[in-house]
Amino acid sequence: MSPVRTPDSATAPARTGVWAAPGRVNLIGEHTDYNDGFVLPIALPQAARATVRPRADRTLRLYSEQGDGRTVELDIDALSPGGVDGWARYPAAVVWALREAGCAIGGADVHIDSDVPTGAGLSSSAAIECVVAAAYNDLHDLGLTRKELARIAQRAENAFVGVPCGIMDQMASVCARQGEALFLDTRDLSARHVPVDLEGAGLRLLVIDTQVKHDLADGEYAKLRAGCERASALLGLPALRDLTPDRLPAALDRLPAELRPLVRHVVSENARVEQAAALLHEGYLHALGPILTSGHASLRDDFGVSCPETDLAVEAAVDAGALGARMTGGGFGGSVIALVAADRAPTVTTAVETAFRQAAYTAPRAFTAVPSSGARRIV
Ligand code: GLA
């Protein structure tokens, strides 16, 4: 490990450092991860950065540039689920999960600064969890693999924060690589990195934050997950991933009406991920467009997690010439991605902004996504 070169390196403990972990957008594969299915995210250049200075005691001192100005001071041995609120629960959750996993850890001063938009479906919380996990792993020589770090961060979110999320966001934040998408089988975490050379293909991936804040802790996500798990139990399957498209019609006949659309979405979405990964592997980026748009229709009509703003953004983008568009992330607001020819990007962005103005919605914020690196030490 290289020595720290910060302006105060003469006085700071030698192992103080700075780590970064990114947010993500998922190209396709929504609400498949907690069904043991497939996902295809890329990491964003926007990331959470954490400056971490180990302490000799068992105190965790947390400060966030995006917080409320408070420094939160916690005793590592007293951490328990539900005991911390606000932004501080994400870093605290990871330290708790490491402690629970039996890792030999100590206190730290943690300073967080993130440019991942919050509540935009871009995994700002996973970025914070993963950056703290990566920092602790290095500082305490825990020897955890990237997959183990993602599992720790997911456990932190599930058991400490209380959101029953799958593992896509944490795996993307830890394992993604620059210029590539992560084709992940969430059953066994086997992953393949597939090239996404947008520039070479003359394309852009726009991210349009609708500014409709989503909050996965509000219970809707948990209800959907429970519905999927009930359906797989009724079908006698380990998970909905085990239902293949050819057996879908017969399976639907055996389910209560309210569960059928959920199952239809998960089965068709898994097929879309496999198809998209195969196209990317062959370098056919343009062909991804219709898969994105049909994925959105499935989330809107079957899974029921879109909202008027995401629907309008998708419709306006496609009408203005995007090759395809869809909401990304958990839904209930958040962001839309649109795959566009590079020279159409300004037209598509303007079309979405105009449609939002006409509908009297809050102005959306658009930026271009560039597939970036997963968690890493930067100083
Ligand atoms: C959120 C969760 C993920 C995943 C997506 C939907 O981002 O954190 O685990 O379930 O929603 O695909």
Side-chain angles (χ1 to χ4, degrees):
M1 206 172 290
S2 56
V4 181
R5 306 262 180 248
T6 54
D8 63 346
S9 63
T11 53
R15 288 159 74 79
T16 300
V18 185
W19 285 258
R24 62 96 190 94
V25 286
N26 188 18
L27 295 178
I28 190 80
E30 229 60 88
H31 292 275
T32 47
D33 61 352
Y34 53 81
N35 290 299
D36 276 4
F38 304 109
V39 294
L40 191 63
I42 61 167
L44 291 171
Q46 289 88 339
R49 285 171 194 78
T51 306
V52 184
R53 179 194 300 255
R55 296 171 62 99
D57 60 15
R58 306 280 295 165
T59 300
L60 185 61
R61 286 184 95 236
L62 304 169
Y63 184 84
S64 166
E65 288 293 331
Q66 288 69 43
D68 48 14
R70 277 183 309 152
T71 296
V72 176
E73 209 166 298
L74 302 161
D75 172 359
I76 289 182
D77 299 308
L79 290 173
S80 66
V84 185
D85 56 15
W87 61 269
R89 69 202 143 128
Y90 300 108
V94 169
V95 176
W96 170 84
L98 288 168
R99 190 199 76 194
E100 288 291 288
C103 297
I105 54 167
D109 293 339
V110 181
H111 182 285
I112 294 168
D113 192 2
S114 175
D115 60 357
V116 185
T118 55
L122 302 175
S123 293
S124 58
S125 50
I128 293 177
E129 289 157 0
C130 292
V131 80
V132 173
Y136 258 80
N137 192 34
D138 288 352
L139 286 172
H140 292 283
D141 294 323
L142 300 178
L144 298 171
T145 64
R146 286 184 175 261
K147 286 175 190 174
E148 285 166 342
L149 288 178
R151 287 253 188 246
I152 288 283
Q154 184 199 19
R155 172 146 162 72
E157 179 99 23
N158 289 169
F160 194 96
V161 178
V163 177
C165 64
I167 199 157
M168 167 172 69
D169 305 346
Q170 292 79 9
M171 277 296 288
S173 187
V174 172
C175 297
R177 291 191 196 153
Q178 195 175 349
E180 295 174 330
L182 185 74
F183 175 40
L184 176 70
D185 181 340
T186 63
R187 168 157 279 166
D188 59 6
L189 299 193
S190 56
R192 195 147 51 86
H193 297 272
V194 283
V196 185
D197 182 8
L198 290 156
E199 208 182 322
L203 296 174
R204 283 229 199 133
L205 187 68
L206 292 178
V207 179
I208 303 157
D209 176 0
T210 65
Q211 302 286 320
V212 179
K213 296 290 172 199
H214 85 152
D215 183 359
L216 291 183
D218 69 2
E220 280 309 306
Y221 183 91
K223 270 191 228 156
L224 291 162
R225 180 171 182 158
C228 291
E229 284 167 357
R230 213 174 109 225
S232 66
L234 287 170
L235 295 169
L237 297 169
L240 287 184
R241 182 272 178 68
D242 298 296
L243 186 58
T244 48
D246 55 313
R247 290 186 295 142
L248 178 63
L252 292 180
D253 285 345
R254 295 170 50 204
L255 291 171
E258 75 273 13
L259 295 181
R260 286 181 206 152
L262 299 186
V263 175
R264 230 177 4 237
H265 167 73
V266 174
V267 172
S268 64
E269 186 79 346
N270 274 326
R272 279 186 286 273
V273 184
E274 291 193 278
Q275 208 187 339
L279 288 170
L280 283 183
H281 188 69
E282 298 296 326
Y284 296 138
L285 250 82
H286 289 82
L288 230 57
I291 301 178
L292 303 186
T293 309
S294 61
H296 185 78
S298 180
L299 288 164
R300 181 191 60 211
D301 303 335
D302 277 343
F303 218 68
V305 292
S306 74
C307 66
E309 290 84 351
T310 50
D311 291 344
L312 182 63
V314 167
E315 195 188 304
V318 171
D319 285 353
L323 301 175
R326 60 180 287 271
M327 52 149 277
T328 189
F332 317 109
S335 298
V336 159
I337 53 170
L339 186 68
V340 298
D343 59 358
R344 299 256 347 142
T347 313
V348 169
T349 307
T350 308
V352 176
E353 286 165 354
T354 306
F356 269 50
R357 204 167 38 246
Q358 284 167 354
Y361 292 158
T362 306
R365 284 202 197 130
F367 63 90
T368 300
V370 181
S372 302
S373 306
R376 63 212 176 271
R377 185 172 187 158
I378 52 176
V379 176

